[in-house]
Protein backbone atom coordinates (compact mmCIF):
# COMPACT_ATOMS: atom_id res chain seq x y z
CA UNK A 1 0.00 0.00 0.00
CA UNK A 2 1.48 3.35 -1.02
CA UNK A 3 1.94 6.25 1.35
CA UNK A 4 1.71 9.92 0.46
CA UNK A 5 3.39 12.51 2.61
CA UNK A 6 2.34 15.98 1.63
CA UNK A 7 4.00 19.30 2.46
CA UNK A 8 1.68 22.23 1.91
CA UNK A 9 2.79 25.84 2.22
CA UNK A 10 0.70 28.83 2.31
CA UNK A 11 -0.19 29.43 0.15
CA UNK A 12 -18.96 29.87 2.95
CA UNK A 13 -20.94 32.58 2.28
CA UNK A 14 -24.68 32.06 1.82
CA UNK A 15 -25.48 30.69 -1.59
CA UNK A 16 -27.46 33.18 -3.61
CA UNK A 17 -30.68 31.52 -4.65
CA UNK A 18 -31.05 31.04 -8.34
CA UNK A 19 -27.33 31.45 -9.02
CA UNK A 20 -27.18 27.97 -10.51
CA UNK A 21 -29.75 29.06 -13.07
CA UNK A 22 -27.88 32.06 -14.44
CA UNK A 23 -28.06 32.53 -18.18
CA UNK A 24 -24.81 33.39 -19.95
CA UNK A 25 -24.71 36.80 -21.56
CA UNK A 26 -23.69 35.84 -25.07
CA UNK A 27 -21.89 39.09 -25.78
CA UNK A 28 -19.86 38.91 -22.56
CA UNK A 29 -18.87 35.31 -23.14
CA UNK A 30 -17.92 36.09 -26.72
CA UNK A 31 -15.65 38.91 -25.57
CA UNK A 32 -14.04 36.69 -22.94
CA UNK A 33 -13.46 33.87 -25.41
CA UNK A 34 -12.06 36.28 -28.00
CA UNK A 35 -9.73 37.85 -25.44
CA UNK A 36 -8.53 34.43 -24.33
CA UNK A 37 -7.91 33.33 -27.92
CA UNK A 38 -6.04 36.52 -28.81
CA UNK A 39 -3.95 36.34 -25.64
CA UNK A 40 -2.93 32.73 -26.23
CA UNK A 41 -2.20 33.36 -29.91
CA UNK A 42 -0.17 36.55 -29.49
CA UNK A 43 1.65 35.72 -26.28
CA UNK A 44 2.44 32.21 -27.41
CA UNK A 45 5.03 33.70 -29.79
CA UNK A 46 6.63 36.13 -27.35
CA UNK A 47 10.23 35.55 -26.33
CA UNK A 48 11.86 37.78 -23.74
CA UNK A 49 13.80 37.69 -20.47
CA UNK A 50 10.81 38.85 -18.43
CA UNK A 51 9.20 36.53 -15.90
CA UNK A 52 6.76 34.16 -17.59
CA UNK A 53 3.09 34.45 -16.71
CA UNK A 54 0.67 31.62 -16.01
CA UNK A 55 -0.33 30.86 -19.61
CA UNK A 56 3.27 30.81 -20.78
CA UNK A 57 4.39 28.58 -17.92
CA UNK A 58 1.65 26.07 -18.62
CA UNK A 59 1.57 26.34 -22.42
CA UNK A 60 2.54 22.68 -22.87
CA UNK A 61 -0.07 21.36 -20.45
CA UNK A 62 -3.36 19.87 -21.54
CA UNK A 63 -6.48 22.06 -21.35
CA UNK A 64 -10.11 21.44 -22.02
CA UNK A 65 -11.26 23.26 -25.13
CA UNK A 66 -14.36 24.84 -23.60
CA UNK A 67 -14.19 28.27 -21.99
CA UNK A 68 -17.19 28.69 -19.68
CA UNK A 69 -18.77 31.79 -18.24
CA UNK A 70 -19.12 32.07 -14.48
CA UNK A 71 -20.71 34.59 -12.15
CA UNK A 72 -19.44 35.50 -8.68
CA UNK A 73 -22.13 34.55 -6.16
CA UNK A 74 -20.15 34.76 -2.94
CA UNK A 75 -17.00 36.39 -1.54
CA UNK A 76 -15.63 35.53 1.90
CA UNK A 77 -12.53 36.64 3.79
CA UNK A 78 -11.01 33.26 4.59
CA UNK A 79 -8.16 35.02 6.41
CA UNK A 80 -6.60 38.49 6.51
CA UNK A 81 -4.88 37.83 3.18
CA UNK A 82 -7.04 35.20 1.44
CA UNK A 83 -10.46 35.54 -0.17
CA UNK A 84 -12.68 32.60 -1.01
CA UNK A 85 -14.48 33.16 -4.30
CA UNK A 86 -17.72 31.27 -4.95
CA UNK A 87 -18.59 30.95 -8.63
CA UNK A 88 -21.83 29.83 -10.26
CA UNK A 89 -21.05 28.01 -13.51
CA UNK A 90 -23.51 28.52 -16.36
CA UNK A 91 -22.27 25.65 -18.55
CA UNK A 92 -23.75 22.34 -17.38
CA UNK A 93 -21.02 20.46 -19.28
CA UNK A 94 -18.24 22.14 -17.26
CA UNK A 95 -16.47 19.51 -15.14
CA UNK A 96 -13.18 19.03 -13.32
CA UNK A 97 -11.32 16.45 -11.27
CA UNK A 98 -9.58 16.90 -7.93
CA UNK A 99 -6.08 18.27 -8.53
CA UNK A 100 -6.93 20.29 -11.61
CA UNK A 101 -6.84 24.08 -11.95
CA UNK A 102 -8.51 26.80 -14.01
CA UNK A 103 -7.36 29.54 -16.34
CA UNK A 104 -9.17 32.59 -14.94
CA UNK A 105 -10.18 35.22 -17.54
CA UNK A 106 -11.29 38.66 -16.34
CA UNK A 107 -12.92 41.27 -18.62
CA UNK A 108 -10.59 44.24 -18.99
CA UNK A 109 -7.59 42.46 -17.43
CA UNK A 110 -5.07 41.25 -20.00
CA UNK A 111 -3.24 38.91 -17.64
CA UNK A 112 -4.82 35.47 -17.19
CA UNK A 113 -4.83 33.93 -13.72
CA UNK A 114 -4.23 30.32 -12.79
CA UNK A 115 -5.90 29.04 -9.62
CA UNK A 116 -6.50 25.63 -8.08
CA UNK A 117 -10.02 24.75 -6.99
CA UNK A 118 -10.58 24.53 -3.25
CA UNK A 119 -14.01 22.91 -3.58
CA UNK A 120 -14.84 19.37 -4.57
CA UNK A 121 -16.18 18.17 -7.94
CA UNK A 122 -19.21 16.99 -5.95
CA UNK A 123 -20.20 20.57 -5.07
CA UNK A 124 -20.12 21.48 -8.76
CA UNK A 125 -22.22 18.45 -9.63
CA UNK A 126 -24.80 19.12 -6.92
CA UNK A 127 -25.06 22.92 -7.01
CA UNK A 128 -23.22 24.16 -10.09
CA UNK A 129 -20.71 25.90 -7.80
CA UNK A 130 -16.92 26.09 -7.88
CA UNK A 131 -14.77 27.76 -5.21
CA UNK A 132 -11.31 29.33 -5.34
CA UNK A 133 -9.11 30.54 -2.48
CA UNK A 134 -6.90 33.41 -3.66
CA UNK A 135 -4.14 35.05 -1.64
CA UNK A 136 -3.60 38.80 -2.00
CA UNK A 137 -0.84 39.73 -4.43
CA UNK A 138 0.10 42.48 -6.86
CA UNK A 139 -0.39 39.99 -9.70
CA UNK A 140 -3.30 41.48 -11.72
CA UNK A 141 -5.83 38.61 -11.43
CA UNK A 142 -5.28 38.20 -7.67
CA UNK A 143 -5.28 41.99 -7.18
CA UNK A 144 -8.57 42.27 -9.08
CA UNK A 145 -10.17 39.59 -6.91
CA UNK A 146 -9.14 41.43 -3.73
CA UNK A 147 -9.87 44.99 -4.83
CA UNK A 148 -12.46 45.07 -7.62
CA UNK A 149 -14.39 41.80 -7.71
CA UNK A 150 -17.99 42.07 -6.48
CA UNK A 151 -21.07 39.89 -6.36
CA UNK A 152 -22.37 39.25 -9.89
CA UNK A 153 -18.98 40.00 -11.51
CA UNK A 154 -18.65 37.87 -14.63
CA UNK A 155 -15.50 35.94 -15.49
CA UNK A 156 -14.63 32.93 -17.66
CA UNK A 157 -12.93 29.65 -16.77
CA UNK A 158 -11.08 26.91 -18.59
CA UNK A 159 -9.92 23.73 -16.90
CA UNK A 160 -6.25 22.75 -17.12
CA UNK A 161 -4.74 19.41 -16.19
CA UNK A 162 -1.20 18.70 -15.06
CA UNK A 163 -1.90 15.05 -14.34
CA UNK A 164 -3.15 13.69 -17.64
CA UNK A 165 -0.19 11.31 -17.86
CA UNK A 166 -1.60 9.31 -14.96
CA UNK A 167 -4.78 8.34 -16.79
CA UNK A 168 -3.20 5.32 -18.45
CA UNK A 169 -2.08 3.75 -15.19
CA UNK A 170 -5.42 2.10 -14.49
CA UNK A 171 -7.26 2.02 -11.20
CA UNK A 172 -4.90 -0.27 -9.28
CA UNK A 173 -3.52 2.52 -7.09
CA UNK A 174 -4.96 2.69 -3.61
CA UNK A 175 -4.35 5.57 -1.24
CA UNK A 176 -2.49 4.69 1.92
CA UNK A 177 -1.85 7.23 4.66
CA UNK A 178 -1.53 10.98 4.21
CA UNK A 179 0.69 13.20 6.35
CA UNK A 180 0.21 16.92 5.82
CA UNK A 181 2.79 19.48 6.94
CA UNK A 182 1.13 22.88 6.70
CA UNK A 183 3.15 26.04 7.37
CA UNK A 184 1.87 29.60 7.75
CA UNK A 185 2.79 32.84 9.47
CA UNK A 186 0.26 32.28 12.25
CA UNK A 187 -2.82 30.20 13.01
CA UNK A 188 -5.11 32.83 11.46
CA UNK A 189 -3.45 32.06 8.11
CA UNK A 190 -4.00 28.31 8.41
CA UNK A 191 -6.80 28.11 5.87
CA UNK A 192 -9.40 25.34 6.15
CA UNK A 193 -7.95 24.16 9.46
CA UNK A 194 -11.40 23.14 10.73
CA UNK A 195 -11.95 21.04 7.61
CA UNK A 196 -8.56 19.39 8.09
CA UNK A 197 -9.26 18.62 11.75
CA UNK A 198 -12.60 17.15 10.68
CA UNK A 199 -10.89 14.84 8.19
CA UNK A 200 -8.38 13.74 10.83
CA UNK A 201 -11.24 12.83 13.16
CA UNK A 202 -13.16 11.07 10.40
CA UNK A 203 -10.16 9.02 9.25
CA UNK A 204 -7.99 8.37 12.33
CA UNK A 205 -4.60 6.94 11.45
CA UNK A 206 -5.15 7.59 7.75
CA UNK A 207 -5.00 11.38 7.58
CA UNK A 208 -2.60 13.24 9.90
CA UNK A 209 -1.45 16.85 10.03
CA UNK A 210 1.17 19.02 11.73
CA UNK A 211 0.58 22.76 11.55
CA UNK A 212 3.71 24.93 11.67
CA UNK A 213 3.59 28.64 12.53
CA UNK A 214 6.60 30.90 12.08
CA UNK A 215 5.44 34.27 13.49
CA UNK A 216 2.81 33.45 16.09
CA UNK A 217 2.32 36.34 18.55
CA UNK A 218 -0.92 35.31 20.28
CA UNK A 219 -1.96 32.31 22.35
CA UNK A 220 -2.75 29.22 20.28
CA UNK A 221 -6.29 28.01 20.89
CA UNK A 222 -6.76 24.81 22.86
CA UNK A 223 -8.29 22.93 19.93
CA UNK A 224 -5.20 23.47 17.76
CA UNK A 225 -2.46 23.17 20.39
CA UNK A 226 -1.93 19.40 20.01
CA UNK A 227 -1.30 19.82 16.29
CA UNK A 228 0.81 23.00 16.18
CA UNK A 229 4.61 23.35 16.16
CA UNK A 230 6.22 26.77 16.32
CA UNK A 231 9.00 27.12 13.77
CA UNK A 232 9.70 26.06 10.22
CA UNK A 233 9.39 22.54 8.89
CA UNK A 234 12.75 20.84 9.30
CA UNK A 235 14.68 17.98 7.79
CA UNK A 236 14.05 16.05 11.01
CA UNK A 237 10.29 16.40 10.50
CA UNK A 238 10.40 14.91 7.02
CA UNK A 239 13.16 12.31 7.08
CA UNK A 240 11.14 9.87 9.21
CA UNK A 241 8.67 9.52 6.33
CA UNK A 242 11.22 8.61 3.67
CA UNK A 243 10.47 5.27 2.04
CA UNK A 244 10.33 3.81 -1.45
CA UNK A 245 6.51 4.05 -1.40
CA UNK A 246 6.22 7.69 -0.30
CA UNK A 247 5.17 10.40 -2.73
CA UNK A 248 5.83 14.05 -1.86
CA UNK A 249 3.66 16.96 -3.04
CA UNK A 250 4.85 20.53 -2.44
CA UNK A 251 2.66 23.62 -2.77
CA UNK A 252 3.76 27.19 -2.12
CA UNK A 253 5.85 30.08 -3.50
CA UNK A 254 8.88 29.14 -5.64
CA UNK A 255 11.58 29.82 -2.96
CA UNK A 256 9.79 27.47 -0.55
CA UNK A 257 9.38 24.81 -3.24
CA UNK A 258 13.07 25.02 -4.11
CA UNK A 259 14.12 24.85 -0.45
CA UNK A 260 11.92 21.87 0.45
CA UNK A 261 12.66 19.93 -2.73
CA UNK A 262 16.41 20.38 -2.17
CA UNK A 263 15.98 19.19 1.42
CA UNK A 264 14.13 16.09 0.21
CA UNK A 265 16.80 15.27 -2.37
CA UNK A 266 19.46 15.63 0.33
CA UNK A 267 17.76 13.05 2.55
CA UNK A 268 17.52 10.53 -0.26
CA UNK A 269 14.13 11.10 -1.84
CA UNK A 270 14.23 10.27 -5.60
CA UNK A 271 13.39 13.18 -7.86
CA UNK A 272 10.60 11.22 -9.56
CA UNK A 273 8.79 10.99 -6.20
CA UNK A 274 8.63 14.78 -5.69
CA UNK A 275 5.84 16.77 -7.37
CA UNK A 276 5.23 20.51 -7.46
CA UNK A 277 4.01 23.37 -9.64
CA UNK A 278 5.60 26.79 -10.07
CA UNK A 279 3.03 29.26 -11.33
CA UNK A 280 4.58 32.56 -10.41
Amino acid sequence: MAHATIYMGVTIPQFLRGAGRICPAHSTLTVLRHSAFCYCTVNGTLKSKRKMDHLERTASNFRQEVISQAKVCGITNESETVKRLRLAIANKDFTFKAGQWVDFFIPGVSVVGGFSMCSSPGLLEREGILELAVKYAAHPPAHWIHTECTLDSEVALRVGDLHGYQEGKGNAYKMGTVKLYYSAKNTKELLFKKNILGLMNAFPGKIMCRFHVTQQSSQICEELQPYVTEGRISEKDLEKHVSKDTLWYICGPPPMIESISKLLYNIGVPRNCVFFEKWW
Side-chain angles (χ1 to χ4, degrees), residues 3 7 11 17 40 50 58 62 95 98 112 141 150 154 157 162 188 192 199 211 215 225 230 251 263:
H3 295 258
Y7 175 88
T11 46
R17 294 184 179 178
C40 294
R50 66 176 175 78
T58 61
F62 171 80
T95 61
V112 177
T150 62
E154 292 187 352
L157 308 175
L162 293 179
K188 291 182 179 179
F192 312 116
L199 288 170
F211 296 110
Q215 300 179 39
Q225 281 182 4
E230 296 198 45
C251 180
L263 184 156

Side-chain angles (χ1 to χ4, degrees), residues 28-102:
T28 302
L29 185 55
T30 300
V31 170
L32 288 167
R33 283 176 172 164
H34 179 71
S35 299
F37 174 79
C38 290
Y39 186 91
C40 294
T41 302
V42 174
N43 286 270
T45 62
L46 290 180
K47 293 183 179 179
S48 70
K49 293 183 179 180
R50 66 176 175 78
K51 187 176 180 180
M52 290 191 297
D53 64 20
H54 163 68
L55 284 186
E56 291 172 303
R57 281 185 178 276
T58 61
S60 62
N61 296 120
F62 171 80
R63 285 170 162 81
Q64 293 182 0
E65 293 184 3
V66 62
I67 296 177
S68 300
Q69 187 183 18
K71 182 176 288 189
V72 177
C73 62
I75 306 173
T76 301
N77 292 323
E78 196 65 35
S79 75
E80 294 177 355
T81 62
V82 176
K83 286 187 181 292
R84 185 192 295 220
L85 210 60
R86 192 170 171 89
L87 300 166
I89 310 298
N91 184 359
K92 300 300 182 182
D93 295 324
F94 181 94
T95 61
F96 73 93
K97 296 179 181 179
Q100 292 184 300
W101 41 268
V102 290

Side-chain angles (χ1 to χ4, degrees), residues 133-144:
V134 181
K135 191 175 181 69
Y136 178 82
H139 190 249
H143 190 265
W144 178 86

Side-chain angles (χ1 to χ4, degrees), residues 177-181 196 200 203-210:
T177 58
V178 176
K179 178 73 176 185
L180 173 65
Y181 283 94
I196 294 170
M200 292 171 62
F203 302 96
K206 284 290 188 181
I207 299 178
M208 296 157 280
C209 179
R210 285 305 301 179

